[in-house]
Amino acid sequence: MSELFDDPDPGQNAPEFTVTELSGAVKRAVEGGFPHVRVRGEVGRVSRPRSGHLYLDLKDDRAVLAAVVWKGVAAGLRTQPEEGMEVVATGRLTTFPGQSRYQLVIEHVAPAGVGALMAMLEKRKAQMTAEGLFDAERKRPLPFLPEVIGVVTSPSGAVIRDILHRLRDRFPRKVLVWPVAVQGEKCAPEVSRAIAGFNALTPGGALPRPDLIIVARGGGSLEDLWGFNEEVVVRAAAESRIPLISAVGHETDTTLIDFAADRRAPTPTAAAEMAVPVRAELLATVAGLEERRRRGVARMLERRRERLTDLARALPRPEALVAERSQRLDYASTRLPQALLSFARAKRLELARGDAGRFGPQLLTQGIARKSDRLSAMALRLAPALSRSVDRARERVQSTAARLRPTALARPVADGRRELERLGTRLDGTRSALVEERADRLSALSRVLETLSYRATLARGYAVVRDGAGAVISDGKEAEAQSALEIEFRDGARVAVTPSDAPPPKRAKAAKKPPPDQGSLF
């Protein structure tokens, strides 16, 4: 290093260095002198840009040291640095030529003792308390007898065995175990995902949704239990829609999830006791209630019977109620025969005094006379009534006969004849119009046929060439190979024979078949 600053020529100026050369020399000197250092200090400013790197300051009461944690290292840190936290950082010193400063490249960060962890824990607790995550209003009551219990813990520890054993002793229930790491770097993300996963299950689905969640872990040091103090775990417990019991550590251990949970259990075994009641005690309670109900019903029936007996004493005796009426009935029954005899005797005397005349033969004679007079009057009215009925019938017959005379039918016949002549005239006009329309249509179709026929092309000077079999020839080479050709012109067909060959016999023209009978359009 001294060679760089020695003056090679006494009396001359020192050699010149570029800024980059000088910065590189300083960088090599710093990195060579401090390849590995451990620095204790308080975390000051913390910056987390989008690149994923972590920039922070380590300070004490007299100096500040800039530090950087590269992206790969920052993602794997067990404890994330927070402002105000006292830590011990391990790394190497280097320089940053872009700003002419030196900095510590951190490779590992750990809290500076339990005091630093407790200070950070109190800070997190105060922050989450201010947000209302620990409010009593957020706490949900635990179900009295859950059907399914979800347990978030390590599947290989003694905690799950203690919980299952306690549940089996008290009241067996279905248990879903979500295996997680209960300490280390994976603890916090796995526990938070387990709580969210239980809440995401669909009620009544293939995998039943728990009615209660227990987050459990055995005892340990503050560092071992630190995963349950992480913010993601606390927020997952506070946002859980399923009631949650925190059973982390022993009774003296306290983590932030205990404040966010709906109920804190001092031990995992106590959490199982909170989750379900004792089945034997419930059966005894039900039996006691049934006995109390039976005795209560018996006492009620006895009191109602006594009350009915007391009320019956206040009522009069039935014999007293009917005795007077029975006596009056007996008295009336003794007087009834004599009263009947007296009544019959009085009616007999009344009939004998003259009232019987109203019921004698004279009354019957008068009735017969009245009926005879009425019958005679009706006989006198019968003959005129029959005469009038016959006259009305005769008038109806004469009216019907008048309507059926030939002179009466002549007018309807004449009207029908005139209507028939009118319809015949309309039919003749319609037929003529239809014939004319069909003729015009036939003429139009004939013109279209003539336009599309190839004979119109022949009239313009063209011809159709066929071979001896009558097939159309359109190629010159094919025509040269034929011994005879038939050429059709506008006015007929002619046979052309090559000079080297004898004239072939003229092909007999096929007799033209008459067109099929299409019938008359008219």
Side-chain angles (χ1 to χ4, degrees), residues 43-112:
V43 178
R45 174 190 57 85
V46 179
S47 176
R48 292 180 173 87
R50 292 185 178 180
S51 62
H53 306 314
L54 182 63
Y55 299 94
L56 64 148
D57 292 337
L58 296 176
K59 62 180 181 178
D60 55 15
D61 55 348
R62 289 183 296 178
V64 177
L65 173 63
V68 59
V69 184
W70 302 127
K71 178 179 179 180
V73 178
L77 288 179
R78 182 176 178 182
T79 303
Q80 293 293 328
E82 298 181 8
E83 186 174 352
M85 179 180 179
E86 187 176 2
V87 297
V88 175
T90 303
R92 56 185 176 82
L93 279 179
T94 185
T95 62
F96 181 52
Q99 294 183 359
S100 298
R101 64 189 177 100
Y102 67 96
Q103 61 185 6
L104 176 65
V105 178
I106 297 177
E107 299 174 354
H108 178 72
V109 175

Side-chain angles (χ1 to χ4, degrees), residues 265-298:
T267 60
T269 304
E273 295 176 355
M274 291 180 181
V276 295
V278 180
R279 185 174 183 177
E281 294 179 357
L282 288 179
L283 293 176
T285 302
V286 172
L289 292 175
E290 174 62 22
E291 180 63 23
R292 290 179 59 188
R293 183 197 66 81
R294 188 184 62 78
R295 291 198 300 267
V297 171

Side-chain angles (χ1 to χ4, degrees), residues 94-343:
T94 185
T95 62
F96 181 52
Q99 294 183 359
S100 298
R101 64 189 177 100
Y102 67 96
Q103 61 185 6
L104 176 65
V105 178
I106 297 177
E107 299 174 354
H108 178 72
V109 175
V114 178
L117 290 177
M118 293 301 297
M120 185 170 60
L121 182 63
E122 291 299 327
K123 181 180 178 181
R124 284 185 183 176
K125 181 179 178 182
Q127 177 185 354
M128 294 180 182
T129 302
E131 294 182 16
L133 297 181
F134 303 152
D135 291 347
E137 293 77 9
R138 298 175 59 93
K139 310 295 183 181
R140 289 168 294 274
L142 302 182
F144 177 72
L145 186 61
E147 289 291 333
V148 181
I149 300 175
V151 180
V152 180
T153 187
S154 173
S156 59
V159 171
I160 185 62
R161 292 194 297 271
D162 293 342
I163 292 176
L164 295 177
H165 178 72
R166 198 59 177 165
L167 290 176
R168 185 167 55 251
D169 290 344
R170 292 174 65 86
F171 207 120
R173 296 282 86 185
K174 296 179 182 179
V175 177
L176 290 179
V177 180
W178 195 300
V180 296
V182 293
Q183 71 181 47
E185 300 176 359
K186 297 181 180 180
C187 174
E190 290 186 1
V191 171
S192 61
R193 284 195 298 266
I195 296 174
F198 275 138
N199 281 269
L201 293 177
T202 303
L207 189 63
R209 186 172 186 261
D211 302 315
L212 179 67
I213 297 176
I214 298 176
V215 179
R217 187 207 187 280
S221 63
L222 181 61
E223 291 81 359
D224 294 337
L225 303 178
W226 189 255
F228 298 92
N229 292 319
E230 294 292 346
E231 185 175 357
V232 291
V233 175
V234 178
R235 293 189 180 277
E239 295 171 0
S240 175
R241 299 184 301 275
I242 303 175
L244 187 143
I245 298 177
S246 171
V248 178
H250 297 304
E251 187 172 0
T252 56
D253 299 325
T254 303
T255 56
L256 293 183
I257 192 176
D258 297 336
F259 300 98
D262 299 299
R263 188 74 63 84
R264 176 186 180 271
T267 60
T269 304
E273 295 176 355
M274 291 180 181
V276 295
V278 180
R279 185 174 183 177
E281 294 179 357
L282 288 179
L283 293 176
T285 302
V286 172
L289 292 175
E290 174 62 22
E291 180 63 23
R292 290 179 59 188
R293 183 197 66 81
R294 188 184 62 78
R295 291 198 300 267
V297 171
R299 285 195 301 270
M300 181 188 68
L301 293 177
E302 183 64 26
R303 286 197 299 269
R304 295 294 176 86
R305 187 180 298 108
E306 294 175 357
R307 178 63 175 166
L308 183 60
T309 303
D310 295 341
L311 293 176
R313 293 193 185 99
L315 294 175
R317 296 176 59 82
E319 296 81 359
L321 293 176
V322 300
E324 181 182 356
R325 287 170 176 76
S326 177
Q327 186 177 0
R328 293 175 59 183
L329 179 62
D330 293 340
Y331 179 73
S333 62
T334 55
R335 294 178 57 192
L336 182 60
Q338 186 64 30
L340 289 176
L341 292 176
S342 300
F343 181 76

Side-chain angles (χ1 to χ4, degrees), residues 7 11 26 65 103 196 198 207 242 253 260-261 279 313 361 363 386 409 458 468 472 486 509 513 515 521:
D7 191 353
V26 172
L65 173 63
Q103 61 185 6
F198 275 138
L207 189 63
I242 303 175
D253 299 325
R279 185 174 183 177
R313 293 193 185 99
L363 181 61
L386 291 175
L409 296 175
L458 296 179
V472 177
E486 182 186 76
K509 190 173 183 181
K513 293 183 180 180
L521 295 175

